[in-house]
Amino acid sequence: MYTQAMDTMGKDKDGPKAVRSAEELRLEERFDERIDAGGFIEAKDWMPEHYRKTLVRQISQHAHSEIVGMLPEGNWISRAPTLKRKAILLAKVQDEGGHGLYLYAAAETLGTSRDQMLDALHGGKAKYSSIFNYPTLTWADMGTIGWLVDGAAIMNQVPICRCSYAPYARAMIRICREESFHQRQGYEALLTMMQHGTEAQKAMVQDAVNRWWWPSIMMFGPPDDQSPNSAQSMRWGIKRFTNDELRQKFIDAAVEQAKVLGVTLPDPDLKWNEERQAHDHGAIDWAEFWRVIGGDGPCNRERLGARVKAWEDGAWVREAALAHAAKHERAERLAA
Amino acid sequence: MSSVEEGTLPSPGEGRAGAGSGTEAPKAAAAAGREWPLWEVFVRSKAGLDHKHCGSLHAPDPKMALQMARDVYTRRQEGVSVWVVRSDQIVASDPGDKDMYFDPAEDKVYRHPTFYELPKSVDHM
Amino acid sequence: MQASIELDRRADVQYLLRIGDTCLILAQRLGEWCGHAPILEEDIAMTNMALDLVGQARALLTRAGQLEGRAHDEDQLAFLRDERDYFNATLVELPRGDFAFSVLRNAMAATLLKLLWEKLEASSDAEVAAIAAKAIKEARYHQQHAADWVVRLGDGTGESHARMEAALAQLWRYVPELFAADAVDEAARASGLGPAWSELREAWFAEMASVLDEATLAMPAESAFMSTGKRGVHSEHMGYILAEMQYLQRTYPGGVW
């Protein structure tokens, strides 16, 4: 669905090594040249260890976000108000599962395995986007997530389609192609309620917007002056725009979209700045962001608990499938 | 306390509720080497075109790999034909810049850890 | 609160709703696996099947509403009937249980639906025939996927085999209802709308026997118990499903979604 800014992942303990051989330096020079020329890196090309590790972490955490993201939305499949909305929600959640899968596949080209990545997620070592630690309390949350959360995700994701690491870029192109439906269906669901719905429905929409606005703009990560890893990632063509650049773009678009919807964004300080040609906005509560990232959001325990339970409860299934395959492989070999 | 992420707040991994976290590490170790194999997926979207590589997935056997490939990679359009190949069966050489090569020419598609079988005595890496 | 609609329980309407409701309620149970399946690939497969079933339900409910002639659309029928006016087989309303239970139930339901759709392609109702032509492709895939899992789990490990046996013991009690004959089926058969479900009995048992055999599972003896979901008298589980499913429509009368 989208990726949280890499800056929240903190310093890599295996940072760039101090002493390198002449051969390695030469390879890195060639690598940098290729990046600077806008070229692509494929799975078997030489790459700095730090580049590889950064990508494994970013791609896998992006994948984890898609998977965990299925839960808050999955909540409402059984309660969707019409068959059409039920179908749309099922399709969207299915897409998200698929996106997680594409991303795990891309990460696996770099020397990690699905099990290793899931192990990191379940053990609390790997992160996923903080937005999914918030509860989905009403049906309007579905539309709001589509509008704001998927909207923010798209803004983060489109630039990554030109990421220097080609398997990731290819996965992102596939994802972005499927993603636009996600934002549109969410916005359209809200528009329907605001334009044709009852007063109670309109109140439901406004309530959802009030709860999801601030967490959505936090999705772009900490402010640029608190994001030390951005520079290296931009140098490597993994990241193309800064957190604040993307956040500003998102806010400016959302203000217009909110007007069409007829909802109020819960920020009294939102104001067009003629000089900047952009909207000024109120102060973001970064303490809340770090709290939620750190594990004390409303739903962190439930989300991770659900994923761990699904994995553990499913162990006998996975084992049985392997056992069956082994039995039949053996039988085939004997018959051959 | 998890030490991977310096500069962020402590990881919420310790004593995670509801999942028997105390047994997670041994379970993970037991599961190592018991992963469903990885398969590469190739789809021909229209008669007359080539099969194109679209990605990979995990499946226990060829039949399921094919079904899942259909579920995952042809969701939006009818693929005319789907091929699945076990990733470790593909032998690859890249026509890329040979000087960038660190690995021997005849190698696996990419660096997936389960492609490289080590003797059991050192297989804990 | 939004009150229930009054359904005209004409035989042809009931006949179509039996199939449509079976698809709808099975989809409802399948959707519960979303985010909780043993592996990501199955999260996708289960939601895919649920999505197909919702599509089949929509088409059938719409057609049933047209035949009923009270201007009830697919959503009014799906969300505002009283429990006694739902005609799904009890089999599909049971809680999803573990993965063994769910794949076996999927195999049983998908095999039935596949056989139904095959016959419905020749329905005297052109609309129903058209629905069947599309649905049969989906049903064949669902059946194959579910049957493959029954085989894998039946002939997997000791644990998976035991879980499949337990699932069989529970689910087989709900088979007799599937093939019970009554006036609704007789009317459909006579008009050419569709086959009596009893006509499918032999083929269904043959297919299930083949799958269970490959799965090294023993088919249980026929149960003396007869569930009655197809007549609108359900198990205790149906009330909870409907309470959840109908919640928004009931709570927001006049809502536009």
Side-chain angles (χ1 to χ4, degrees), chain A residues 67 70-71 76-87 90-91 93-94 97-98 100-101 104 114 139 192-193 196-198 200-201 204 306-307 310-311 314 316-321 323-324 327-328, chain C residues 24 28 31 34-41 43-44 47-48 50-51 54 57-58 61 74-75 78-79 98-100 149 151-153 155-157 159-160 163 244-245 247-249 252-257:
Chain A
I67 302 318
M70 293 168 75
L71 294 170
W76 281 89
I77 290 173
S78 66
R79 290 174 291 172
T82 66
L83 294 181
K84 178 177 131 183
R85 294 292 173 202
K86 195 191 285 280
L90 276 165
V93 175
Q94 191 190 17
L101 207 144
Y104 283 129
R114 176 94 67 89
W139 172 254
T192 302
M193 288 190 272
H196 307 290
T198 63
Q201 285 181 291
M204 197 202 304
R307 291 310 310 155
W311 187 249
W316 67 268
V317 177
R318 297 188 300 273
E319 273 161 37
H324 178 83
K327 280 190 218 184
H328 286 259
Chain C
L24 177 63
Q28 192 73 359
C34 182
H36 306 285
I39 193 163
L40 180 55
E41 282 78 353
D43 275 306
I44 296 170
T47 40
N48 180 56
L51 190 52
V54 168
R58 292 179 72 184
L61 263 52
E74 67 184 31
D75 289 324
F79 297 97
D98 66 4
F99 196 68
W149 269 113
V151 169
R152 244 176 234 109
L153 297 181
D155 188 20
T157 60
E159 176 170 8
S160 67
R163 285 174 182 263
E244 221 174 275
M245 196 172 84
Y247 166 71
L248 281 173
Q249 285 268 356
Y252 293 87
V256 179
W257 305 97

Side-chain angles (χ1 to χ4, degrees), chain B residues 5-65:
Chain B
E5 255 78 27
E6 295 165 323
T8 60
L9 292 178
S11 229
E14 305 308 304
R16 185 135 284 283
S21 48
T23 59
E24 265 159 36
K27 268 195 173 110
R34 309 273 308 148
E35 214 181 276
W36 283 7
L38 190 64
W39 303 74
E40 299 304 314
V41 179
F42 302 81
V43 175
R44 188 201 332 267
S45 56
K46 215 163 61 173
L49 299 179
D50 287 334
H51 281 79
K52 210 162 95 79
H53 178 242
C54 15
S56 61
L57 50 83
H58 286 269
D61 56 55
K63 219 171 172 202
M64 182 122 291

Side-chain angles (χ1 to χ4, degrees), chain A residues 218-268:
Chain A
M218 287 180 201
M219 280 170 62
F220 296 94
D224 294 348
D225 57 17
Q226 288 174 40
S227 303
N229 294 334
S230 283
Q232 178 62 290
S233 304
M234 292 182 77
R235 175 84 180 70
W236 279 335
I238 296 175
K239 190 180 164 99
R240 305 235 159 221
F241 297 101
T242 73
N243 296 351
D244 287 339
E245 277 171 353
L246 290 174
R247 186 177 3 254
Q248 185 64 63
K249 204 167 148 208
F250 175 77
I251 291 174
D252 292 335
V255 167
E256 294 313 310
Q257 291 157 355
K259 281 197 192 114
V260 171
L261 273 182
V263 297
T264 312
L265 294 175
D267 181 358

Side-chain angles (χ1 to χ4, degrees), chain C:
Chain C
M1 274 311 231
Q2 177 69 57
S4 297
I5 56 170
E6 296 235 4
L7 184 77
D8 181 350
R9 288 174 149 225
R10 299 158 44 134
D12 52 356
V13 168
Q14 237 188 98
Y15 182 83
L16 291 181
L17 289 177
R18 280 181 179 174
I19 310 170
D21 289 345
T22 296
C23 294
L24 177 63
I25 300 301
L26 182 55
Q28 192 73 359
R29 284 304 190 199
L30 280 170
E32 292 174 15
W33 277 104
C34 182
H36 306 285
I39 193 163
L40 180 55
E41 282 78 353
E42 275 303 310
D43 275 306
I44 296 170
M46 294 286 215
T47 40
N48 180 56
M49 189 172 164
L51 190 52
D52 286 346
L53 287 166
V54 168
Q56 292 166 22
R58 292 179 72 184
L60 282 171
L61 263 52
T62 299
R63 186 59 187 144
Q66 287 164 356
L67 291 176
E68 191 205 13
R70 289 185 179 178
H72 290 144
D73 66 18
E74 67 184 31
D75 289 324
Q76 287 171 306
L77 287 168
F79 297 97
L80 295 176
R81 275 179 283 163
D82 185 70
E83 183 176 324
R84 288 297 161 83
D85 289 330
Y86 284 85
F87 303 113
N88 53 284
T90 306
L91 174 73
V92 297
E93 73 200 40
L94 306 171
R96 67 181 160 105
D98 66 4
F99 196 68
F101 188 94
S102 275
V103 299
L104 180 58
R105 193 238 309 268
N106 282 354
M108 292 163 72
T111 304
L112 174 70
L113 286 168
K114 186 190 74 168
L115 293 168
L116 265 170
W117 290 125
E118 270 168 5
K119 289 275 169 32
L120 288 169
E121 282 188 283
S123 173
S124 57
D125 184 305
E127 184 61 39
V128 171
I131 297 170
K134 182 170 177 284
I136 184 63
K137 293 183 225 160
E138 295 168 348
R140 283 193 185 119
Y141 180 75
H142 300 166
Q143 196 257 352
Q144 185 180 47
H145 190 85
D148 286 348
W149 269 113
V150 171
V151 169
R152 244 176 234 109
L153 297 181
D155 188 20
T157 60
E159 176 170 8
S160 67
H161 186 91
R163 285 174 182 263
M164 283 305 301
E165 285 190 325
L168 258 175
Q170 287 182 273
L171 285 165
W172 221 247
R173 302 177 68 237
Y174 297 92
V175 169
E177 174 188 4
L178 300 179
F179 307 110
D182 65 5
V184 168
D185 268 5
E186 183 46 38
R189 198 199 54 76
S191 71
L193 177 60
W197 289 29
S198 52
E199 281 170 49
L200 309 172
R201 187 181 199 286
E202 211 179 301
W204 188 89
F205 269 93
E207 291 204 31
M208 286 307 305
S210 164
V211 173
L212 292 176
D213 190 58
E214 202 186 333
T216 73
L217 291 163
M219 185 181 286
E222 172 129 3
S223 164
F225 169 68
M226 177 75 74
S227 47
T228 52
K230 277 160 62 182
R231 302 199 183 174
V233 180
H234 294 275
S235 72
E236 290 182 342
H237 305 293
M238 192 68 177
Y240 292 102
I241 295 182
L242 293 181
E244 221 174 275
M245 196 172 84
Q246 298 190 346
Y247 166 71
L248 281 173
Q249 285 268 356
R250 297 284 187 180
T251 313
Y252 293 87
V256 179
W257 305 97

